[in-house]
C-alpha cells in the first residue's frame, strides 16, 4: 500500500511540475469587481468581448456584468453586436423614437443571444438606464442581415431614391431586391448576363449615393449598409461558385470596415463589441497545430456524433481549419492601433451548447495550458493579462473550447478565465392563463354527404353561426364539434365547395339528445364557363387573368382584416418515413397578429403566440424536442396574403391562365392557373436549393376579388445532404390554403404544407427512401374585438415552453383535420 501511495505522489508531482509557467498578470474577479480594467482600458475606444463558442452561458453572463461596469465607470455607451448592421440601426431607430420597446432587439439580435436570460438582463439594464436619461446604443457590424432588413430596407432605400431623385429603373431595384432580400443568387453565380446586370445596378446605386452632397446621418448609414450587403452577396456568390475561401475572410473584412464606419459616425462614443473570439483575434498565424489538438478534435467529433448523429469534422483536417485566416481583429488593430483591446474567454470544465439545444462537455485542457495553470493557482474566476514579451507557445481553449497551441499574447490582449462553464439559460416569456373548456358542453358528431348521390363530401367547413368558431371535416366527411353552453341556442352552418350551405339547430339536437347527425348538402347548380364568354355588362369586357389577379392584390386591404387580432389554431405536424409515422404532434396555439393580414417578406416579425395545449401522439426522437413545433412559424411564410414571395405579389414572374368560373361555398369564383417563369426565393419563398418548377391555382371571388383558395406546388433542384455523406435529396412542396369570412373580413381557415424529400445515392442515383413532413393548421377561433396582446414571437413558440399534455382536454375536445393524400397529384 505504501508503494502505491508513494507512486501516486510521484505521479502527482510530475503532473504538477510538468505545467510550464505562462507569464502574465492575474487579477482575481470577486463579486463582479472589475476595477483592474480601469487602468487596462484607459484611452481605449474599442473593447472586443469574445466568446469561445456561441453556447457559453457563463461567458454571456460575465459579458453582461462587464458591460454594466464599463458603461457606468468608463462611459462606454454603445454595444456593437455580431449581428446585422441595418437590423440594429433600424431597431435602435424605432426604439429611440419610442415606436418600439427594447423587445425589438429580440428581432434584430441573433437568437443565439436574444433567446438567453443574459441578453434579456442586458435589455432590462438598458431600460433602467434609459429611465435615468442615460442612453445605451445597440449597434451591429455584421454584413449578414435578418428579419428587419428583409421587411424594411427596400422601403428605406426607395424613399431615399425618391427624395434625392436618383435615376434608377424599377427593373434595377427588383434585381437588387432579389439579391439583397430574397438571396436569389444562383443565376448570378452561373449566368454571366445576370451577373453583369446586377453589378451594373450596384455600381449605379453606389455612385449615385456618392454624389449626394451633405448626406444626412441616415443616408450615410444606408450607403454603408448597401456596400456591406454587396460584399455579402459577393461572398455568397463565391461560395456558390465553389471558390476557395479561407475560413470567412470576406465577411471578416467587411465586418471590420463596418465597425470602423460605426466608430467614425459615432465619433464621440466608446464601443464594446460582442461577438465570437475568432472574429476578434489577430495574428492567427501564430498558432501551431499539434497532435494534441487533433486528438481533442476527434474526441469532440465522437461526442457530437454520439449526441446528434452528425459531425462535420474529417479526421486529419484540423491543420487546415485556420489556414490563411485573416479575422477582423487583425484588421481592426491596424486601424485603431493602441485604442483597441481584445478579450477572450475560456473555461476548465462544465458544459456548453446553444440555448435550448443539446449540450456538450468541455474536455479537460492539456498540460501546458492557461486553463490548467489557472486551476493550479486556485482561481475560479480571474482576468489574465498576457505578457507581451513572452514568445513561448502554450495551449488555450479560447477558440471553440478546443485547446490550440499558440503564442496567445499575439492573438489577444487579455483572457477572462471562468472555471466552470454552463449552457446559456433560455429566456422566459410572460404566458397567458389558459382557461380550460367548460364542463357544461355538448358534443356533436356528424358525416356529410351529397344529397343526390350520397357520395362523401370531403373537407367541408363547419362553423357556429355568428361566432368565430369553426372546424373542417376530414376526407371521409366526418366531423366532431364541441359546443359550449353559451351556444346551446345557436345554429351550425355546414358549407362545402360546390354545395349550398345547410343550417342545423343546436337546441333541437340537445333536446333530442342527438349526438350524431347526417348532413346532406344540395349541389350548387352552376355551369362552369369560359371566362372569355363572360360579360358582366353590355359595356364591359371580360377581365384577363392578369387583371383578375391585379384586382385581388389591390383589394387585399378591403377583403382581409388589417387590424390586430387573435386567432387560435389546431396545429398538427407529422413526419412519415417509408410510409411509417416516426413523429406526430398536436397543439392548440393562440396567435396574435399585431398588424393584421398585410403582406411582408417575413410574416413572423409581427406575429406572436403561445401554446395552450400540446400532446405527442408519436414521440419525436430527434435531437431537438421542439423541432416539430418550430415549423409552426414558418407555415405563415407560405401564406398567400401574409407573405410577399408568391404569385399574388410577384405576378410578373408568372404566366397566368383563365380556366373558367366555378362554384365555391355558395359563391362564384374565377379559377386562375399559374406557371412560374422565374422560380426562385423572390417568387416562391423557397431559397437554396433553388426551385426549378413552380405552379398552382388561385380561386378568386368574382364580386369581391378575395382569394378563397390557393394551391401551389414547388419542385427544387437536387442537393447533397451535408449531414449524410453519399446521399442526395430532391425536395417537393405542396401548399393548400383556404380563407374564411368572419365579421366581414377574411382570415386563414385551413393551411396544409407537405414537404416531400426523396433520398437517393449520390454514387449511382439509386432510390434509398422518402420522407414526408406534413404540417396542418385549422382555425378554431378568431377574436378581433379587444385582442389579447401576446409577446412571444412565433419563432420562439417552442423556446423554454412547459406545455404538458392535458388528458382531459384532449378527451373533451376533438379536432379532425382533412387527411391529405400524401401524393403530389398537382405537382411534379
Amino acid at each position: 500500500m505504501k508503494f502505491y501511495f508513494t507512486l501516486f505522489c510521484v505521479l502527482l508531482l510530475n503532473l504538477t511540475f510538468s505545467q510550464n509557467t505562462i507569464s502574465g498578470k492575474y487579477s482575481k474577479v470577486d463579486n463582479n469587481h472589475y476595477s483592474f480594467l480601469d487602468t487596462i482600458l484607459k484611452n481605449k475606444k474599442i473593447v472586443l468581448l469574445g466568446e469561445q463558442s456561441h453556447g457559453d452561458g457563463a461567458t454571456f453572463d460575465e459579458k453582461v456584468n462587464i458591460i454594466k461596469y464599463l458603461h457606468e465607470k468608463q462611459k462606454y455607451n454603445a454595444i456593437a453586436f455580431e449581428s446585422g448592421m441595418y437590423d440594429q440601426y433600424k431597431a435602435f431607430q424605432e426604439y429611440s423614437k419610442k415606436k418600439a420597446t427594447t423587445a425589438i432587439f429580440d428581432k434584430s439580435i441573433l437568437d443565439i443571444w436574444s433567446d438567453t436570460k443574459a441578453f434579456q438582463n442586458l435589455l432590462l439594464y438598458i431600460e433602467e438606464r434609459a429611465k435615468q436619461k442615460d442612453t445605451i446604443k445597440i449597434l451591429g457590424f455584421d454584413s449578414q442581415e435578418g428579419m428587419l432588413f428583409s421587411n424594411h430596407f427596400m422601403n428605406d432605400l426607395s424613399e431615399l431614391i425618391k427624395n434625392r431623385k436618383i435615376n434608377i429603373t424599377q427593373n434595377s431595384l427588383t434585381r437588387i431586391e432579389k439579391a439583397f432580400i430574397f438571396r436569389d443568387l444562383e443565376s448570378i453565380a452561373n449566368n454571366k448576363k445576370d451577373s453583369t446586370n446586377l453589378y451594373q445596378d450596384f455600381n449605379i446605386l453606389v455612385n449615385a449615393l456618392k454624389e449626394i452632397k451633405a448626406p444626412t446621418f441616415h443616408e450615410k448609414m444606408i450607403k454603408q449598409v448597401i456596400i456591406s450587403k454587396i460584399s455579402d452577396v459577393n461572398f455568397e456568390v463565391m461560395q456558390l461558385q465553389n471558390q476557395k475561401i479561407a475560413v470567412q475572410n470576406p465577411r471578416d473584412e467587411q465586418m471590420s470596415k463596418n465597425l470602423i464606419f460605426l466608430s467614425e459616425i459615432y465619433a464621440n462614443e466608446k464601443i464594446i463589441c460582442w461577438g465570437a473570439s475568432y472574429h476578434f483575434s489577430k495574428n492567427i498565424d501564430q498558432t501551431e497545430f499539434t497532435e494534441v489538438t487533433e486528438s481533442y478534435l476527434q474526441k469532440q467529433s465522437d461526442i457530437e456524433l454520439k449526441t446528434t448523429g452528425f459531425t462535420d469534422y474529417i479526421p486529419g483536417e484540423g491543420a487546415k481549419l485556420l489556414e490563411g485566416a485573416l479575422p477582423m481583429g487583425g484588421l481592426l488593430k491596424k486601424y485603431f492601433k493602441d485604442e483597441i483591446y481584445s478579450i477572450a474567454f475560456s473555461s476548465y470544465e462544465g458544459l456548453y451548447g446553444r440555448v435550448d439545444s443539446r449540450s456538450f462537455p468541455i474536455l479537460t485542457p492539456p498540460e501546458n495550458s492557461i486553463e490548467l495553470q489557472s486551476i493550479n493557482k486556485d482561481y475560479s474566476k480571474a482576468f489574465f493579462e498576457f505578457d507581451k514579451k513572452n514568445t513561448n507557445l502554450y495551449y488555450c481553449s479560447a477558440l471553440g473550447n478546443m485547446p490550440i497551441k499558440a503564442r496567445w499574447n499575439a492573438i489577444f490582449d487579455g483572457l477572462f478565465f471562468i472555471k466552470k462553464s454552463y449552457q446559456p439559460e433560455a429566456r422566459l416569456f410572460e404566458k397567458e392563463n389558459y382557461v380550460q373548456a367548460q364542463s357544461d358542453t355538448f358534443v356533436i358528431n356528424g358525416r356529410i354527404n351529397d344529397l343526390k348521390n350520397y357520395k362523401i363530401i370531403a373537407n367541408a367547413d363547419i362553423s357556429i353561426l355568428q361566432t368565430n368558431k369553426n372546424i373542417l371535416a376530414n376526407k371521409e366527411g366526418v366531423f366532431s364539434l364541441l359546443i359550449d353552453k353559451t351556444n346551446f341556442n345557436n345554429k351550425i352552418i355546414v358549407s362545402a365547395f360546390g354545395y349550398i350551405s345547410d343550417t342545423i339547430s343546436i337546441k333541437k339536437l340537445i333536446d333530442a339528445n342527438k349526438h350524431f347527425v347526417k348532413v346532406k348538402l344540395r349541389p350548387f347548380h352552376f355551369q362552369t364557363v369560359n371566362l372569355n364568354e363572360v360579360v358582366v355588362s353590355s359595356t364591359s369586357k371580360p377581365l384577363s387573368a392578369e387583371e383578375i389577379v391585379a384586382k385581388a392584390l389591390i383589394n387585399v386591404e378591403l377583403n382581409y382584416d388589417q387590424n390586430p387580432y387573435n386567432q387560435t389554431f389546431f396545429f398538427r405536424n407529422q413526419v412519415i418515413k417509408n410510409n411509417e409515422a416516426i413523429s406526430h404532434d398536436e397543439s392548440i396555439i393562440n396567435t396574435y397578429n399585431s398588424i393584421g393580414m398585410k403582406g411582408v417578406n417575413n410574416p413572423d416579425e409581427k406575429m406572436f403566440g403561445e401554446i395552450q395545449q400540446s400532446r405527442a401522439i408519436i414521440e419525436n426522437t430527434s435531437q431537438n424536442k421542439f423541432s416539430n413545433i418550430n415549423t409552426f412559424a414558418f407555415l405563415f411564410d407560405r401564406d398567400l396574403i401574409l407573405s410577399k414571395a408568391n404569385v399574388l405579389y410577384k405576378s410578373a414572374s408568372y404566366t397566368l391562365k383563365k380556366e373558367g368560373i366555378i362554384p365555391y361555398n355558395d359563391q362564384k369564383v374565377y379559377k386562375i392557373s399559374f406557371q412560374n417563369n422565374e422560380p426562385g426565393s423572390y417568387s416562391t419563398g423557397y431559397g437554396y436549393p433553388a426551385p426549378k418548377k413552380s405552379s398552382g391555382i388561385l380561386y378568386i371571388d368574382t364580386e369581391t376579388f378575395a382569394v378563397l383558395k390557393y394551391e401551389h406546388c414547388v419542385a427544387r433542384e437536387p442537393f447533397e445532404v451535408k449531414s449524410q455523406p453519399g446521399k442526395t435529396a430532391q425536395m417537393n412542396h405542396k401548399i393548400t390554403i383556404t380563407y374564411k369570412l368572419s365579421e366581414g373580413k377574411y382570415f386563414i381557415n385551413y393551411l396544409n404544407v407537405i414537404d416531400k424529400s426523396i433520398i437517393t445515392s449520390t454514387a449511382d442515383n439509386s432510390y434509398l427512401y422518402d420522407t414526408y413532413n406534413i404540417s396542418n393548421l385549422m382555425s378554431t377561433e378568431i377574436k378581433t374585438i379587444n385582442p389579447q396582446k401576446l409577446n412571444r414571437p412565433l419563432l420562439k413558440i417552442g423556446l423554454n415552453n412547459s406545455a404538458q399534455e392535458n388528458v382531459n382536454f384532449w378527451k373533451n375536445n376533438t379536432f379532425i383535420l382533412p387527411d391529405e393524400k400524401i401524393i403530389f397529384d398537382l405537382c411534379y
Side-chain angles (χ1 to χ4, degrees):
M1 179 67 69
K2 184 177 180 181
F3 170 79
Y4 288 111
F5 178 76
T6 304
L7 178 61
F8 173 75
C9 291
V10 170
L11 290 173
L12 182 61
L13 286 170
N14 286 339
L15 177 63
T16 303
F17 291 108
S18 64
Q19 173 74 31
N20 296 325
T21 300
I22 301 169
S23 59
K25 181 182 178 181
Y26 277 100
S27 297
K28 189 175 182 180
V29 180
D30 289 320
N31 300 318
N32 299 328
H33 290 161
Y34 303 102
S35 57
F36 57 87
L37 291 175
D38 294 345
T39 302
I40 293 172
L41 299 181
K42 187 179 181 180
N43 300 322
K44 305 297 182 188
K45 180 178 177 62
I46 306 291
V47 175
L48 306 175
L49 296 182
E51 57 200 44
Q52 50 276 59
S53 77
H54 291 318
D56 293 272
T59 296
F60 292 178
D61 291 336
E62 193 69 19
K63 290 207 285 190
V64 171
N65 291 331
I66 294 169
I67 287 170
K68 292 178 181 179
Y69 179 86
L70 294 182
H71 172 67
E72 294 177 26
K73 302 298 183 181
Q74 296 200 30
K75 306 302 179 185
Y76 283 86
N77 296 327
I79 311 167
F81 279 85
E82 184 192 328
S83 287
M85 186 178 193
Y86 176 88
D87 286 335
Q88 310 326 310
Y89 169 65
K90 190 67 177 180
F92 189 75
Q93 187 182 54
E94 295 293 292
Y95 172 70
S96 300
K97 294 178 180 178
K98 300 189 184 305
K99 292 183 179 180
T101 65
T102 53
I104 194 170
F105 297 109
D106 293 335
K107 301 171 184 175
S108 63
I109 298 291
L110 291 175
D111 57 9
I112 53 178
W113 299 305
S114 63
D115 281 351
T116 68
K117 271 192 175 181
F119 182 77
Q120 296 306 313
N121 289 337
L122 178 60
L123 291 185
L124 286 174
Y125 177 74
I126 290 173
E127 287 178 344
E128 290 171 2
R129 301 304 296 187
K131 292 175 183 177
Q132 303 173 37
K133 308 298 181 184
D134 182 9
T135 301
I136 299 175
K137 297 179 177 65
I138 291 186
L139 314 174
F141 56 80
D142 205 340
S143 57
Q144 297 179 349
E145 301 283 356
M147 186 185 298
L148 296 183
F149 179 84
S150 294
N151 281 340
H152 303 285
F153 177 75
M154 290 306 296
N155 291 336
D156 278 352
L157 177 59
S158 297
E159 185 177 355
L160 188 158
I161 288 171
K162 180 181 177 182
N163 292 340
R164 289 294 185 171
K165 298 179 181 180
I166 295 174
N167 185 20
I168 187 168
T169 68
Q170 185 57 50
N171 285 340
S172 293
L173 285 178
T174 298
R175 282 192 290 266
I176 291 171
E177 183 181 22
K178 284 184 177 182
F180 278 7
I181 309 300
F182 296 95
R183 308 189 71 79
D184 275 343
L185 299 175
E186 290 184 88
S187 64
I188 306 301
N190 302 313
N191 186 294
K192 185 176 181 180
K193 181 180 178 182
D194 290 344
S195 177
T196 300
N197 288 338
L198 177 63
Y199 282 92
Q200 285 178 345
D201 296 331
F202 286 162
N203 289 334
I204 291 171
L205 184 58
V206 172
N207 289 334
L209 293 175
K210 286 180 179 178
E211 294 298 320
I212 295 176
K213 295 180 180 179
T216 64
F217 181 95
H218 176 72
E219 289 170 340
K220 291 178 181 177
M221 185 64 71
I222 294 300
K223 175 187 171 184
Q224 183 64 26
V225 169
I226 289 170
I227 293 171
S228 178
K229 283 307 298 178
I230 291 174
S231 171
D232 187 43
V233 168
N234 289 341
F235 185 26
E236 186 163 337
V237 168
M238 291 168 68
Q239 291 174 311
L240 290 171
Q241 293 174 337
N242 294 318
Q243 293 188 37
K244 186 176 180 180
I245 305 169
V247 197
Q248 298 185 53
N249 285 359
R251 179 179 168 221
D252 273 277
E253 181 180 1
Q254 188 57 50
M255 288 197 296
S256 68
K257 291 177 180 178
N258 289 345
L259 186 57
I260 290 169
F261 168 82
L262 291 173
S263 73
E264 293 172 345
I265 203 168
Y266 293 106
N268 297 323
E269 300 290 5
K270 296 166 74 176
I271 303 174
I272 302 169
C273 297
W274 182 312
S277 291
Y278 166 77
H279 294 304
F280 294 161
S281 65
K282 56 185 183 292
N283 300 317
I284 206 73
D285 59 341
Q286 295 296 306
T287 58
E288 179 184 297
F289 190 79
T290 66
E291 288 299 320
V292 172
T293 301
E294 174 64 26
S295 67
Y296 273 85
L297 284 168
Q298 293 195 29
K299 287 178 186 177
Q300 191 61 39
S301 177
D302 292 341
I303 293 172
E304 289 177 355
L305 186 62
K306 183 178 180 180
T307 306
T308 68
F310 169 69
T311 179
D312 58 359
Y313 183 68
I314 301 173
E317 292 291 309
K320 300 178 182 178
L321 291 178
L322 296 175
E323 195 174 78
L326 293 172
M328 64 182 290
L331 301 172
L332 294 174
K333 183 65 177 178
K334 289 181 180 178
Y335 181 85
F336 291 105
K337 297 182 172 54
D338 292 334
E339 288 189 308
I340 192 169
Y341 195 89
S342 61
I343 299 175
F345 292 76
S346 73
S347 297
Y348 179 80
E349 61 187 7
L351 300 171
Y352 69 96
R354 295 194 176 188
V355 64
D356 211 39
S357 187
R358 292 297 179 99
S359 60
F360 303 92
I362 289 180
L363 302 176
T364 303
E367 296 178 359
N368 195 30
S369 67
I370 187 67
E371 291 81 16
L372 184 57
Q373 173 173 286
S374 301
I375 286 294
N376 290 340
K377 290 181 177 292
D378 200 27
Y379 286 119
S380 59
K381 188 190 294 186
F383 180 78
F384 184 74
E385 189 174 4
F386 291 109
D387 178 2
K388 296 301 180 184
K389 296 179 180 179
N390 184 4
T391 59
N392 295 330
L393 276 67
Y394 49 89
Y395 288 97
C396 179
S397 299
L399 301 179
N401 289 306
M402 188 58 52
I404 298 174
K405 193 174 185 180
R407 191 162 70 87
W408 287 100
N409 59 358
I411 298 174
F412 295 107
D413 298 310
L415 173 80
F416 265 97
F417 171 75
I418 304 171
K419 178 181 177 181
K420 190 169 186 176
S421 183
Y422 46 82
Q423 189 175 17
E425 190 173 355
R427 64 168 297 185
L428 296 174
F429 292 88
E430 294 180 10
K431 194 169 183 179
E432 63 168 319
N433 293 322
Y434 177 65
V435 180
Q436 298 292 335
Q438 299 179 36
S439 58
D440 197 356
T441 57
F442 189 81
V443 178
I444 297 173
N445 299 302
R447 184 185 297 276
I448 307 166
N449 298 90
D450 187 295
L451 177 65
K452 289 194 171 184
N453 56 25
Y454 301 103
K455 74 175 184 179
I456 293 169
I457 300 176
N459 308 347
D461 187 276
I462 301 96
S463 60
I464 300 176
L465 184 65
Q466 294 182 340
T467 73
N468 295 316
K469 296 181 181 294
N470 67 280
I471 61 171
L472 294 178
N474 68 4
K475 67 178 182 180
E476 302 299 330
V478 174
F479 69 91
S480 181
L481 183 64
L482 181 75
I483 313 293
D484 58 47
K485 188 175 182 179
T486 59
N487 284 304
F488 281 3
N489 292 315
N490 210 330
K491 295 179 180 180
I492 298 172
I493 306 297
V494 182
S495 56
F497 186 96
Y499 291 87
I500 298 172
S501 299
D502 193 14
T503 304
I504 303 169
S505 170
I506 297 172
K507 188 176 186 304
K508 288 182 178 180
L509 295 175
I510 294 174
D511 290 344
N513 197 28
K514 188 176 182 180
H515 289 272
F516 184 83
V517 294
K518 293 181 179 179
V519 183
K520 298 176 182 178
L521 298 184
R522 186 185 303 277
F524 184 84
H525 293 292
F526 179 80
Q527 184 67 37
T528 301
V529 299
N530 188 293
L531 282 176
N532 290 324
E533 299 170 1
V534 177
V535 179
V536 178
S537 70
S538 58
T539 58
S540 63
K541 295 182 180 180
L543 294 172
S544 67
E546 290 75 16
E547 290 171 328
I548 294 166
V549 173
K551 283 182 175 289
L553 178 58
I554 292 171
N555 287 341
V556 163
E557 291 187 16
L558 294 174
N559 290 319
Y560 301 86
D561 198 302
Q562 302 291 288
N563 300 303
Y565 64 88
N566 293 122
Q567 187 167 13
T568 303
F569 293 97
F570 170 68
F571 169 64
R572 180 179 72 185
N573 180 269
Q574 298 170 291
V575 178
I576 299 173
K577 183 176 180 179
N578 283 345
N579 296 319
E580 179 183 355
I582 59 175
S583 176
H584 182 164
D585 296 329
E586 295 182 347
S587 303
I588 305 297
I589 302 175
N590 187 22
T591 66
Y592 172 66
N593 188 329
S594 63
I595 61 171
M597 297 282 284
K598 297 177 181 178
V600 292
N601 291 326
N602 289 103
D604 43 68
E605 180 194 344
K606 299 295 184 180
M607 296 186 70
F608 308 83
E610 284 289 353
I611 302 173
Q612 295 180 336
Q613 295 290 343
S614 183
R615 66 172 175 175
I617 307 298
I618 299 174
E619 287 291 342
N620 173 17
T621 58
S622 70
Q623 59 175 309
N624 184 351
K625 62 180 179 178
F626 291 116
S627 61
N628 292 351
I629 195 67
N630 285 338
T631 64
F632 178 80
F634 297 109
L635 294 180
F636 296 94
D637 293 334
R638 308 302 169 210
D639 184 74
L640 183 76
I641 307 302
L642 297 177
S643 173
K644 283 189 173 182
N646 56 55
V647 62
L648 184 63
Y649 294 91
K650 304 294 192 297
S651 58
S653 298
Y654 292 82
T655 295
L656 307 174
K657 183 181 179 182
K658 304 175 296 183
E659 300 289 353
I661 295 179
I662 61 174
Y664 183 86
N665 288 356
D666 296 348
Q667 296 166 269
K668 298 177 183 179
V669 298
Y670 295 108
K671 182 179 179 182
I672 307 292
S673 63
F674 57 84
Q675 185 75 39
N676 199 331
N677 302 317
E678 301 175 17
S681 178
Y682 175 76
S683 58
T684 69
Y686 288 98
Y688 181 83
K692 61 178 181 179
K693 293 181 181 179
S694 162
S695 65
I697 299 174
L698 294 171
Y699 300 87
I700 302 174
D701 184 85
T702 58
E703 295 184 4
T704 65
F705 292 94
V707 180
L708 305 184
K709 187 175 182 180
Y710 165 62
E711 298 172 335
H712 189 190
C713 295
V714 178
R716 297 163 80 180
E717 296 287 354
F719 65 98
E720 290 191 27
V721 185
K722 292 182 179 179
S723 61
Q724 301 179 49
K727 295 181 180 179
T728 298
Q730 164 72 63
M731 297 183 69
N732 291 341
H733 310 276
K734 180 180 178 181
I735 304 164
T736 304
I737 305 173
T738 64
Y739 299 92
K740 180 178 179 63
L741 193 64
S742 177
E743 299 177 5
K745 297 291 183 180
Y746 284 95
F747 299 85
I748 295 172
N749 182 39
Y750 170 65
L751 192 157
N752 172 246
V753 177
I754 303 175
D755 302 315
K756 178 182 179 181
S757 298
I758 302 173
I759 310 300
T760 57
S761 169
T762 305
D764 58 9
N765 202 34
S766 60
Y767 171 86
L768 298 176
Y769 60 88
D770 55 46
T771 302
Y772 293 86
N773 191 308
I774 306 167
S775 298
N776 295 280
L777 284 185
M778 182 175 70
S779 174
T780 61
E781 189 169 4
I782 301 168
K783 181 182 178 183
T784 58
I785 306 300
N786 297 321
Q788 180 180 13
K789 186 177 181 180
L790 305 178
N791 66 354
R792 181 192 289 268
L794 283 192
L795 284 173
K796 319 294 183 185
I797 199 75
L799 178 66
N800 207 1
N801 190 286
S802 58
Q804 301 293 323
E805 179 176 344
N806 184 319
V807 176
N808 289 329
F809 172 85
W810 293 104
K811 182 179 179 181
N812 296 323
N813 291 268
T814 304
F815 302 90
I816 301 178
L817 272 167
D819 296 317
E820 297 285 344
K821 294 179 181 179
I822 308 178
I823 59 173
F824 283 70
D825 50 349
L826 291 173
C827 298
Y828 318 103

